[in-house]
Amino acid sequence: MVEWFDDLKIGMRFASGKATVSKEDIIRFAAEYDPQPFHLDEEAAKSSVFKGLAASGWQTAAIAMRLATECRPFGPHPLLGAGVDDLRWLKPVRPGDTLHLEGEVMELIPSRSKPQGVARVKWTAFNQHGEPVYTFNPIAIVPSRPN
């Protein structure tokens, strides 16, 4: 079990639970945070580049964050970050899609001056068909084991 930065290893993998996105979820999120026709209105969405109602990319990101938090890759420690690289929306998330998240530790950089390190985990969200829909690579700050 991971409790500290020192417990992480390159290649270590994490997997989340699942989250299903409803039409109502998509419209509610869009109405508050991303009010564009292809997120709010099924008819308008049909003539958009998405050819149908699609979740906001930011909603997909928020769902992925929730799934990452729930799988607790850094044990008892919160997911603290200094930024995110390589954030990409790969495929629209549709009403009824069920997402899950998979992560792989790609890089570990111990701090020279603080009791912590930077963990780079490449996260990918997949839909129920196993298709990648979103990927991101946060710069996570994880505490080191106390001396």
Side-chain angles (χ1 to χ4, degrees):
M1 177 172 156
V2 173
E3 278 193 75
W4 306 100
F5 176 80
D6 317 75
D7 299 325
L8 295 166
K9 305 289 182 239
I10 301 290
M12 187 176 279
R13 294 183 167 274
F14 307 103
S16 76
K18 297 177 179 180
T20 300
V21 185
S22 72
K23 173 181 150 184
E24 294 76 22
D25 293 333
I26 290 171
I27 293 170
R28 182 179 30 79
F29 185 95
E32 189 164 354
Y33 299 108
D34 193 354
Q36 298 186 74
F38 40 81
H39 301 318
L40 290 168
D41 182 277
E42 284 186 283
E43 284 307 310
K46 287 178 185 176
S47 62
S48 77
V49 67
F50 296 115
K51 305 292 184 223
L53 196 66
S56 166
W58 296 114
Q59 181 178 15
T60 303
I63 292 166
M65 185 65 202
R66 174 66 184 256
L67 292 171
T69 301
E70 289 174 352
C71 78
R72 309 210 43 90
F74 308 135
H77 306 291
L79 301 182
L80 296 175
V84 174
D85 291 330
D86 304 321
L87 184 149
R88 299 286 184 273
W89 291 284
L90 307 171
K91 186 172 181 67
V93 172
R94 307 287 188 180
D97 278 355
T98 298
L99 305 182
H100 77 276
L101 195 63
E102 296 178 13
E104 180 179 358
V105 177
M106 304 302 286
E107 185 177 22
L108 296 168
I109 307 164
S111 173
R112 295 180 189 190
S113 61
K114 297 177 182 174
Q116 64 189 32
V118 169
R120 302 299 303 267
V121 177
K122 180 180 180 184
W123 293 101
T124 303
F126 296 90
N127 65 19
Q128 69 276 12
H129 305 294
E131 300 166 322
V133 298
Y134 173 69
T135 188
F136 62 111
N137 187 353
I139 303 162
I141 300 167
V142 185
S144 296
R145 183 174 277 107
N147 294 329

